[in-house]
Amino acid sequence: MGNDLDRAASRPISDKPSLRLAGKDLLGIQKMDVSEIELILDTAESFKEVSTREIKKVPTLRGKTVINLFFEPSTRTRTSFEIAAKRLSADTINISTSSSSVTKGETLIDTAKNLEAMNPDCIVIRHSSSGAPHLLARLMHVPIINAGDGAHEHPTQALLDIFTVREKKGKLAGLKLAIVGDILHSRVARSNIHGFIKMGAEVHLAGPRTMMPAEVERMGIHWHTSLAEVIPESDVIMMLRIQLERQGGGFFPTLREYSRLFGLNLEVLKAAKPDVLIMHPGPMNRGVEISPEVADGPYSVILDQVTNGVAVRMALLYLLVGGEREADRSSL
Amino acid sequence: MNLLFKKARVVDPASGTDDLMDLLVEEGKIAAMGRGIPESRIRSALPQNEPSPPFLPGEGVIDCTGKVLVPGCIDMHCHLREPGFEYKETIESGSRAGAAGGYTSLACMANTHPVNDSRAVTEYILQKAREKACTRVFPIGAVTKELKGESLADIGELKDAGVVALSDDGKPMMNASLLRRAREYARSFGLTIISHCEDLQLTNQGVMNEGFMSTLLGLRGIPNAAEEVMVLRDIALAELTGASLHVAHISTAGSVRAIREAKSRGVKVTAETAPHYFSLTDEAVEGYDANTKMNPPLRTAKDVTAVIAGLKDGTLDAIATDHAPQTAIEKDVEFDQAAFGIIGLETALPLTLKLVNEGHLTLMEVVEKLTLQPARILGLDLGRFKVGMDADLTLIDLERPKTIEVSQFKSKSRNSPFQGWKVKGVAVLTVVAGRVVFHDPSVS
C-alpha cells in the first residue's frame, strides 16, 4: 500500500524536478513566485484524492512531528492542519492558548525555542500579532508555517481559495474576483489580493471607506464603496467576516446598516453572472455579511473551500517537511 | 590639562568661522585660537630632552591635519534611563556613548522612574552626573506630575534644582487647557516646554506609519495627522500664551510646513528632528524588526525630503538623537508588543554628516544644528568657541569610513536599525572642559 501511495504523492515533484519551494518557511503569499504557488496547487491536486479513500492515510510523513501553535482561537484552520498532518501519518501536537505569550509571562521566542528543543519537524503558528511567524522563522531552523498573523497574511487560506477557484473555473488568468467587507483588518484579503493578482486575476475590493487600508490601490487592486458596483462583473465574490466588535470603532454605524449596504443576499445576487462563485473564509455571520440562502445556495463553494483546505495543507506539509527537503536541510 | 590642536579646520557657527587654525586649551578653557600657536606653549611644561611624547590624554599636541574641530555636540533630547531603568542605560553608560559619538552635553528627558518631577530626582540625576558622567548632563523636568497630564509638577522647584527645560516627552499632553497654563507658568521661570506632538486618539494603538507599508504588513498605522494636529494646536497655544515652544522629533512634511508657516509669522517656535527621520523610511519596517519601531514612526520618502528641506531652510533648528535605550526584553518580541524607541548617540553624527556628503546641507549648517542651536534653545552658554570659555570640543574625521557595529557601542543597549550601515565621517576625539573623554586610537 505504502509504495503505491508514495508514488502518487511524489508525482508532481518527479514531473518537475527543478521546482520546489524557495524557503524553509511559508510566511506569506507576497514573496512567493507563481511557480511556487503552482507547485503547491498541483501537489494538492494529487493529495485531494487521499481524503476520498476509505483509509485516508499515506505514510509520507511517518515519523515526523508537526506542532500547531495557536495563540488565537481557531476551529477550521487548526483542525484542517491537524487532519492534513495526520493523513500524511505525521504526529501532531496542538497547543492552543487564548492569552498572548507576554501576558502568560513567557515570550513567544522562549515558547517556540522550547518547542524546537523537542525536535519537531514543523511549527504551524497562528498569532494575533502581524509578523510573529517571521520572528520565529528568523530565529529557528524548523520550518514555520503561517496559519494567520494579525492583519498581515493567511497564506494557506489564499492557497486553498486559489485552488478552489482554479478547480471550479479551470483557470485563474483573466477572472475577476471581488473581495467584500473589512479589508483593513483582514489577513485573508491581503493574502488573496497578492495571490490572485500573481495568478493573473483582476481583484476588486468593496467595503466602507473606513475599512479600506491606506493606499490599498498600490497593491494593484480596484476599490469600490458600493457592493452593487462589483456584482455584475465578478466571476468570484468573496465575502469577509465582519467582526462584530468593529461596530463600536466608528467603522460603520450599525450592523443593520452594514448588512443593508454590504450584505450579500439573493436580491443583490440577481445582478451576478450565472456562473458566479460565492466564497467565504468562515466563520460566517449569517444574516450579516451573507444571507443563509446565499451561503447554502447553488453558487456557494464555501464548503469546497474547507475540503480543499486539507489537500492544500497536505501539499504544503509534504513540500516543506517531506523527504525532498530533508536532504536540503541536512546539508545546511 | 593642556592640549594644542594644530592645523585644524575650525568650524564655529556662532562666529561664522570655517578656517584652518590652531586652538590651545589650558586649564580646561580655550586659551587661544589662531594660526601658528607655537608648540612651546604646552611643551615648555614637559621635561626637555624626552622624545616627542606620544598622545597623552589630557596633555599633548594633536595634529589635526585633515580634520574638523567643532564646538562639542549637544544632544538636547535623550533618555538616560536613570533612575529606574538602569538595565537599559545609566547616566554613566549613556554619557560614555555620547562621548564616543562626539557629544559633550546631554539633556535627558524626565520619563525615568520615578519621573523627574521633583527636586529630589533632579538632584539625584545631577549628583550621579557629577560622580559618573564624562559629559555634561542637563536634566529636563516633567511638565506634569508623573507625566500624567493631570496636574502641574512643581516647576519653580525644578528650576531651582537645575532643570534646563520641561517636557512630558513620551507622552503627549492631551489636555490643551492644562498645557496653556503650563506654558504661561513656565514662562515666568524662563523654561521652554518641549512638546511631544501626538494625538493619542488618532494614534489609536498604531505601531508604525500609516500608509502603503502598514497596509502590506498588516500593522496598525499612525497617520501623519496624529503629529500634525498637535503641532498646529501647540503653535496656536504658543501664540495665545506668547511663551516659546519647542517641538520635539518632527517626522512629517505637514509638521515642517506648519512650523515654517508659524515662523514666518513670527511665532516663537523652534523644532528638532532626529537622524532616523531623514535617514530611513517606513520601508525599513518590512521584516518586522522592532529596532525600526519608534514614536513618531519612520515615515515616507516624501516626509524625509520635507524634513531635509526643513533642516536646510532653518525651519528645523536642531538635530537631536531621541536616544531611547531598550533591551532585548523590550525588543525581541512581537512587533506590535515591542517598546518604541531606538538609540542614537553613537550614530547621529555620521548619519548627519551624510547630509553633507550628499550635498543637502553645508558642514556649517549641520554643525550649527548639533551645537549652537540646541544650546540656544536650552539657554546654555555652550556650543561655540570663544577664548575664556570652557573647552568643549569635538574633533571629526570627515573622511573616515566606518561600518556601524552595535556590539561596539558604549551604550548598554543595542536597539539600532543602523547595524551594518557604512558611513563616512566620525568623531575621533571628544573633550569636555579640557578633559579628553573619548579618543579614537588613531588620534595622536
Side-chain angles (χ1 to χ4, degrees), chain B residues 387 397 427:
Chain B
V387 172
D397 185 343

Side-chain angles (χ1 to χ4, degrees), chain A residues 21 31 213:
Chain A
L21 299 183
K31 305 279 178 182

Side-chain angles (χ1 to χ4, degrees), chain A residues 30-31 100-102 108-109 127-132 134-135 138 149 151-152 190 194 213-216 218-219, chain B residues 204 210-220 283 286-290 300 329 331-337:
Chain A
Q30 192 196 347
K31 305 279 178 182
S100 83
S101 53
V102 167
L108 173 63
I109 291 176
H127 200 291
S128 59
S129 292
S130 299
H134 306 65
L135 184 64
R138 201 160 56 226
D149 64 322
H152 177 231
R190 281 173 181 74
H194 291 306
E215 300 177 49
V216 67
R218 286 177 62 190
M219 292 182 83
Chain B
N204 190 23
E210 179 177 307
F212 182 52
M213 288 311 296
S214 65
T215 292
L216 277 184
L217 295 172
L219 291 169
R220 271 179 183 255
E283 292 185 16
E286 185 167 19
Y288 299 96
D289 179 355
T300 64
I329 297 169
K331 286 294 196 182
D332 283 357
V333 296
E334 298 86 326
F335 190 91
D336 56 4
Q337 295 178 30

Side-chain angles (χ1 to χ4, degrees), chain A residues 186-205:
Chain A
S186 176
R187 53 194 173 213
V188 173
R190 281 173 181 74
S191 285
N192 270 313
I193 290 169
H194 291 306
F196 275 91
I197 288 177
K198 275 178 205 285
M199 302 312 288
E202 194 177 299
V203 178
H204 293 254
L205 307 178

Side-chain angles (χ1 to χ4, degrees), chain A residues 141-157:
Chain A
H141 300 293
V142 62
I144 305 291
I145 295 178
N146 180 0
D149 64 322
H152 177 231
E153 283 227 37
H154 191 349
T156 58
Q157 179 71 41

